Every structure is written in structure tokens, then in C-alpha cells.
Amino acid sequence: MTPHETGRNYDAIAAWWLDRMNGSDYGLSALQHALTFADRHRTALDVGCGGEGRFFRVLLENGFQCTGVDVSEKMLESARSRFPQVALHLADICTWIPPEKYDLITAWDSTFHLPLESQEPVLQKLCAILNKGGVLLFTGGGVESPGEIRGEMAGREFSYSSLGVSGFLDCLERFGCSMLYLNYDQWPERHVTFIARKNP
Ligand SMILES: C[S@@+](CC[C@H](N)C(=O)[O-])C[C@H]1O[C@@H](n2cnc3c(N)ncnc32)[C@H](O)[C@@H]1O
């Protein structure tokens, strides 16, 4: 499934998603944990930010100037109405050209939708736009080897891909980051939270 198709599917389920996430703290304990590693609180990027904005809320409270990117027009519309102070870009992270570097980058349950062949280049891009000492928090499939699967959400089909845990770790190291934290946070689901830091 292409990122464009993923975006159209999220457009179709945006109202359902926003309703489901209303008042949710999903992922916030991981974000708080990532913040403990962040020396500087200047700029933050949320990749696949969605429309609900709980990550922006915490990042703004922590003094960050926030940027978001999402491939779904409907999700972004909602984010715009809730967070007019955030710089929001309607774009696919695979082709988006970031305007600056960041002290913190989050990609919570978003890059796991990328086509498998885009996982490594996107991870390379995210590591490249982290400031030295900057922190990257993302989620990915906690499987043994690279692969793609399809799943259903709110009546729509979505695709998911993963480099496998060792594939993610290998990329992070090659792209100049050190692993700080890895957690199978929804076991027995193969959902993994990764926190890494750009080497100074
Ligand atoms: C499961 S939602 C998560 C939204 C938000 N991170 C949250 O936790 O509430 C996945 C989001 O990632 C976005 N997304 C998926 N693929 C993307 C891509 N290639 N570029 C940018 N955004 C993408 C979707 O449009 C959707 O808003």
C-alpha cells in the first residue's frame, strides 16, 4: 500500500479515530520517558502526528516549538483546528523535505505503515535531521525478520511493515544513533517502542 493510499484510508476513518483517541493517554508514558533523555527542548517534530494532538499538548507544555507532518488531509485539518501554533505539513514523510533539525522526533504508530522498502531511508532521514544529542521515539513491529502484513481498522485495510527488531537496531547504529530503550509494550502484540539518541 502506498503512503498516498494510507492517507486516503485515514481520511475515511478520521472521525472514528478522533473519537477513539478522545481523552486517551496512549503513548504518553513513552513520550515522558523520551523527554527524560532530551537535553534540549527547542524543536520537536511529530511524524504521522494524526489529528488528536496529545503528543503536541505534552511537547508544547515542555517548551518545544512543534512541527507535524501527516499524509492524511482530514487528520491534519483536525490538528490545525486544535493547534494553530504548530507548523503542520500535509506530506508523505518519504518525500517530505524537512526545513530544519530537531531536538526530539516522535513517530508514534505512523512509520509502521510505510512500505517495507521505505523503512530504512525514512529512518536514515529521521536520524539525519536530529540535532546531536537529540532523541528519536518511534514504534515498530517487534518481529524477528523484515516483512509486511495487512490488517483491518474501522472497515478499512491498512498495511504495516517492519525491518525486524535487529534490522531497526542495525539501522540506528549505522545512522549515528545509540539505543536507549526498547520495550515490547503491548505483549503478546509485537508492538515495540524504540528510543534512541543521536551521538554527540
Ligand atoms: C495510527 S495514526 C497515529 C496518529 C498519531 N501519531 C497518534 O498516535 O494519535 C497513524 C498516522 O500516521 C499517518 N501516516 C501514515 N503514513 C504516513 C506517511 N507516509 N507520511 C506521513 N504520515 C503518515 C497517518 O495519516 C495517520 O494520521
Side-chain angles (χ1 to χ4, degrees):
M1 187 174 286
T2 65
H4 178 78
E5 289 166 334
T6 301
R8 299 301 69 75
N9 278 344
Y10 270 105
D11 284 345
I13 68 158
W16 173 86
W17 175 263
L18 293 168
D19 192 45
R20 185 166 176 246
M21 282 295 118
N22 191 22
S24 168
D25 62 358
Y26 178 46
L28 292 185
S29 61
L31 176 59
Q32 294 291 1
H33 197 50
L35 284 172
T36 64
F37 297 116
D39 299 335
R40 292 208 312 170
H41 286 200
R42 202 178 52 86
T43 52
L45 170 67
D46 192 12
V47 176
C49 56
E52 184 269 338
R54 60 198 183 287
F55 274 45
F56 287 142
R57 203 157 33 247
V58 171
L59 293 170
L60 291 166
E61 281 166 12
N62 278 272
F64 286 93
Q65 183 190 314
C66 294
T67 299
V69 56
D70 201 289
V71 74
S72 160
E73 209 171 322
K74 294 282 179 212
M75 288 289 217
L76 216 63
E77 249 172 43
S78 165
R80 276 204 182 100
S81 68
R82 294 169 191 223
F83 298 95
Q85 68 275 53
V86 172
L88 291 164
H89 302 267
L90 176 61
D92 167 14
I93 186 59
C94 303
T95 51
W96 184 59
I97 298 172
E100 59 181 333
K101 290 193 171 189
Y102 302 93
D103 298 325
L104 180 74
I105 299 178
T106 56
W108 186 264
D109 287 4
S110 56
T111 50
F112 64 13
H113 286 305
L114 296 176
L116 181 56
E117 65 274 16
S118 300
Q119 286 289 348
E120 181 168 335
V122 166
L123 204 47
Q124 184 167 22
K125 176 187 280 190
L126 298 186
C127 293
I129 58 168
L130 265 183
N131 285 321
K132 287 183 177 171
V135 173
L136 171 65
L137 161 67
F138 70 100
T139 53
V143 289
E144 280 75 36
S145 47
E148 280 188 324
I149 57 166
R150 295 216 167 206
E152 185 268 337
M153 184 163 50
R156 289 273 164 164
E157 193 182 41
F158 286 89
S159 63
Y160 303 82
S161 75
S162 172
L163 292 174
V165 172
S166 52
F168 284 123
L169 297 182
D170 171 62
C171 282
L172 288 167
E173 193 182 340
R174 280 191 289 118
F175 303 148
C177 288
S178 299
M179 199 61 205
L180 297 173
Y181 174 84
L182 185 159
N183 185 21
Y184 284 83
D185 58 332
Q186 297 172 27
W187 189 264
E189 292 289 322
R190 298 303 181 108
H191 181 274
V192 170
T193 299
F194 297 88
I195 302 177
R197 183 166 181 265
K198 183 79 171 276
N199 297 329

